[in-house]
Amino acid sequence: CSVENADGFCEGEAFCLGGAGWVCNATSPTLEICDYVDNDCDGGVDEDFTNDVGKYVDLHHCGGCGKDCEGLFPYATAKCDGSAVVPQCVVDECEEGYYLEGKFQCLPFQDTQCKPCVADFQCSGGVCIDIGGEGHCTIGCEGVTCPDGYLCLASDGPDGDPKGLACVPESGACDCL
């Protein structure tokens, strides 16, 4: 026996229930929902919410049914990162005025221009570059307008590694802005 409708075709078995006659135990097909069940009887479980290898990578079902990424991170939009063994919610983009710290949080930019540093993590989302022979914090200027008194120049870090474009004081030193 079977039940068929616009959502699919489900098969079952017919049983004689005495006075009730023959009864089919096939379920009625429904649109696929994330519930670990083959709702539309097409042989696939939750296929609308998984990728080609069966990982749950939907924004609202990340790593499993009901694990919603939306609204999870303050000051950010989220995405489901399917590259991990078990997919997980991570920050996709931070709101304006915030920077990504790790994969799971957005922190507010702080004014750290010319603060002494030895590494980027000390610069609250900025970069640590060599200014006048010492490490100082500034901001990258790719697609950003530098503050007054700063120029967008190719810069190196205190260790000599290239950092790309960064806002450098016009004076070339942080002690004389």
Side-chain angles (χ1 to χ4, degrees), residues 36-147:
Y36 309 109
V37 174
D38 181 12
N39 307 102
D40 56 7
C41 302
D42 66 353
V45 174
D46 298 336
E47 67 271 11
D48 295 341
F49 309 98
T50 58
N51 63 12
D52 294 342
V53 294
K55 289 184 180 183
Y56 287 82
V57 293
D58 184 84
L59 181 66
H60 304 291
H61 306 284
C62 185
C65 292
K67 296 179 181 179
D68 197 347
C69 297
E70 193 169 293
L72 187 62
F73 303 108
Y75 315 109
T77 57
K79 67 179 180 181
C80 183
D81 180 5
S83 66
V85 173
V86 176
Q88 60 184 348
C89 298
V90 297
V91 170
D92 185 28
E93 288 184 7
C94 295
E95 291 178 3
E96 188 173 328
Y98 293 83
Y99 69 95
L100 181 62
E101 180 66 33
K103 294 175 12 178
F104 308 107
Q105 65 179 340
C106 292
L107 298 176
F109 279 112
Q110 298 174 3
D111 185 10
T112 58
Q113 290 294 97
C114 280
K115 172 186 163 194
C117 61
V118 293
D120 290 346
F121 75 88
Q122 296 172 308
C123 298
S124 299
V127 292
C128 184
I129 64 168
D130 181 0
I131 299 175
E134 296 178 343
H136 292 281
C137 292
T138 189
I139 57 174
C141 57
E142 185 119 2
V144 174
T145 301
C146 290

